[in-house]
Amino acid sequence: MDIKRVLPDETYDARGIAVMALCFVLNMFDGVNIFTLTYVAPVLQQHFGTDAAHFSVVFSAGLVGMGLGGLFLAPLADRLGRRPVILLALALMAGAMIASAHAPDIWSLAAIRLLVGLGIGTVLASITALSAGFAPERWRHVATGVPQAGYPIGATIAGFATAWALPGHGWAAVFTTAGYLTLLLVPVCWFLLPEAPETAQRAHHSIAQTIGGGRRRNTLLLWVATVGGFMALYFIASWITKLAIAAGLPQGQAIIASAIYSVGSCVGTILISFAAMRIDLRKLVFANLAIASALFVVFGGVHMGLTPLLWVCFFIGVTLQGGVNGNYPLAAAIYPAEMRATGLGWAMGIGRIGALLGPLIGGWAMSAGLPLVIVFGIFCVPMLATGCAAMAVRLNKGVLT
């Protein structure tokens, strides 16, 4: 294969689409492995005899692991190749999920969740770079954006599966099943996942060369966008059920609202990916997050019945997740192919700072008894900062290189 070959804009061949689909599945399992912990957390708190404040170390450990994976392991995909790094990260993730079922205390579980996070953070950046490598320029936003839609789908599947399995089989079986299913992906990817064309030319760029020099300004803007976006995103992901209850829904309907939000997240991610083929991605990110900010104020400040509240949850998912996930194709546009995994990994790794802060700030705001509209209003600030940062990114004549 001629590595320097340029794919024509109108040609997105079956192999590239298959790679994108497989990356979608891989990210779906990222969602499964993250959210299984969320769904079994109340049972684990009872099992280990700890309260929510102490158990939060387990959630934090996973986010720290995702950040470290993006910062330090994902760059290896530019040096060693996307395929081997993805295979190793999948094996690490699967082994850690299985080990989670045997954790004797919350500190052991936190250490194991750190390893799960390392695998997820590495896979996330690597599959985005891999999918981009098989897409012609015109389709690259789709190739990098659509796999991100697998995450909320995985979260939704994990929710239904856990609700069915937990009463009869227990939390350990939930972790074990998720781990073995993830492990099955290793041989699947061994046989089906190709190496990205550009990795045959490994120039061994340093991290400083990737994020500095002429890319320093765009890199810093992208970091602002990921921190602000993840702050709002993880606030909602962590507290949406409780927030829906605070908005007046009973617990059962609040869980439905959470599921509706996840459906909207998938729809929004796919929509922005295809819309970016015709509309400037930066404008789409800003517009989505501006609308999401308005919907935050509506959710927090307007008393509604069940049906309109569910629609608001759906469109928050569409606009918030769509806008934040626009950062992935934006990052792919900033960094050349041979250093794309490094740039993506660092952007998503730095963004985990926001992922850590969002739930903490939201929890503090609710514990302080602030009105719901104020709680939501706080997170309009990082969302709008994300949109403004995305608008300020400079692309070379809009061409992804």
Side-chain angles (χ1 to χ4, degrees):
M1 176 184 295
D2 181 5
I3 301 303
K4 296 182 180 180
R5 173 176 65 93
V6 178
L7 293 171
D9 279 358
E10 57 276 47
T11 303
Y12 194 7
D13 59 22
R15 190 186 194 202
I17 294 171
V19 169
M20 180 179 67
L22 186 52
C23 289
F24 176 96
V25 173
L26 292 175
N27 204 22
M28 189 173 72
F29 274 84
D30 285 348
V32 168
N33 290 329
I34 289 173
F35 277 88
T36 47
L37 177 65
T38 301
Y39 300 135
V40 303
V43 177
L44 284 173
Q45 286 177 229
Q46 294 179 356
H47 176 79
F48 292 123
T50 187
D51 58 20
H54 287 90
F55 193 80
S56 63
V57 69
V58 180
F59 289 111
S60 298
L63 291 172
V64 170
M66 291 169 70
L68 294 175
L71 292 172
F72 300 111
L73 296 184
L76 295 176
D78 286 332
R79 295 173 176 264
L80 306 177
R82 321 283 195 235
R83 184 174 179 273
V85 170
I86 290 171
L87 290 170
L88 288 172
L90 278 175
L92 174 64
M93 195 193 317
M97 284 298 296
I98 295 168
S100 299
H102 306 286
D105 52 56
I106 63 167
W107 298 107
S108 300
L109 183 59
I112 294 169
R113 290 299 298 186
L114 180 72
L115 296 178
V116 173
L118 279 171
I120 291 172
T122 305
V123 167
L124 185 56
S126 300
I127 62 174
T128 305
L130 178 69
S131 184
F134 283 93
E137 184 177 298
R138 180 170 176 264
W139 287 89
R140 199 159 295 152
H141 287 326
V142 174
T144 53
V146 168
Q148 312 311 322
Y151 184 91
I153 292 294
T156 303
I157 292 173
F160 285 113
T162 301
W164 172 81
L166 193 59
H169 301 279
W171 62 270
V174 173
F175 282 146
T176 301
T177 302
Y180 279 116
L181 288 174
T182 303
L183 191 61
L184 285 175
L185 286 175
V186 176
V188 170
C189 289
W190 178 274
F191 288 107
L192 298 182
L193 195 67
E195 184 55 89
E198 68 269 10
T199 54
Q201 290 184 327
R202 295 173 195 141
H204 297 287
H205 295 282
S206 69
I207 291 173
Q209 288 174 312
T210 300
I211 64 179
R215 283 178 290 274
R216 182 180 292 111
R217 180 182 183 276
N218 277 349
T219 292
L220 292 175
L221 287 169
L222 185 62
W223 289 1
V224 171
T226 55
V227 170
F230 281 162
M231 189 181 295
L233 194 62
Y234 278 80
F235 158 68
I236 283 291
S238 300
W239 296 110
I240 186 169
T241 301
K242 186 170 182 176
L243 290 165
I245 292 172
L249 295 184
Q251 184 171 356
Q253 293 178 352
I255 293 173
I256 294 173
S258 179
I260 292 292
Y261 164 81
S262 294
V263 173
S265 297
C266 179
V267 172
T269 300
I270 293 174
L271 284 178
I272 196 172
S273 301
F274 281 93
M277 295 179 68
R278 297 181 176 275
I279 303 171
D280 189 323
L281 175 64
R282 296 165 294 184
K283 294 179 181 178
L284 287 171
V285 170
F286 181 85
N288 270 266
L289 294 177
I291 295 170
S293 298
L295 291 171
F296 265 38
V297 175
V298 171
F299 189 103
V302 179
H303 182 73
M304 295 173 282
L306 174 61
T307 299
L309 193 59
L310 291 179
W311 277 110
V312 170
C313 287
F314 174 78
F315 283 110
I316 286 177
V318 170
T319 54
L320 174 58
Q321 191 92 36
V324 173
N325 280 350
N327 286 325
Y328 290 90
L330 189 61
I334 291 172
Y335 301 104
E338 66 273 12
M339 55 180 69
R340 191 167 284 144
T342 301
L344 278 160
W346 269 74
M348 302 311 144
I350 294 294
R352 300 301 163 187
I353 297 171
L356 285 166
L357 290 176
L360 292 176
I361 294 172
W364 167 82
M366 288 186 288
S367 299
L370 295 177
L372 197 59
V373 67
I374 300 298
V375 176
F376 273 90
I378 289 171
F379 288 92
C380 292
V381 176
M383 279 195 292
L384 292 174
T386 295
C388 290
M391 283 291 291
V393 168
R394 294 173 182 166
L395 300 179
N396 294 328
K397 298 179 182 179
V399 177
L400 308 180
T401 57

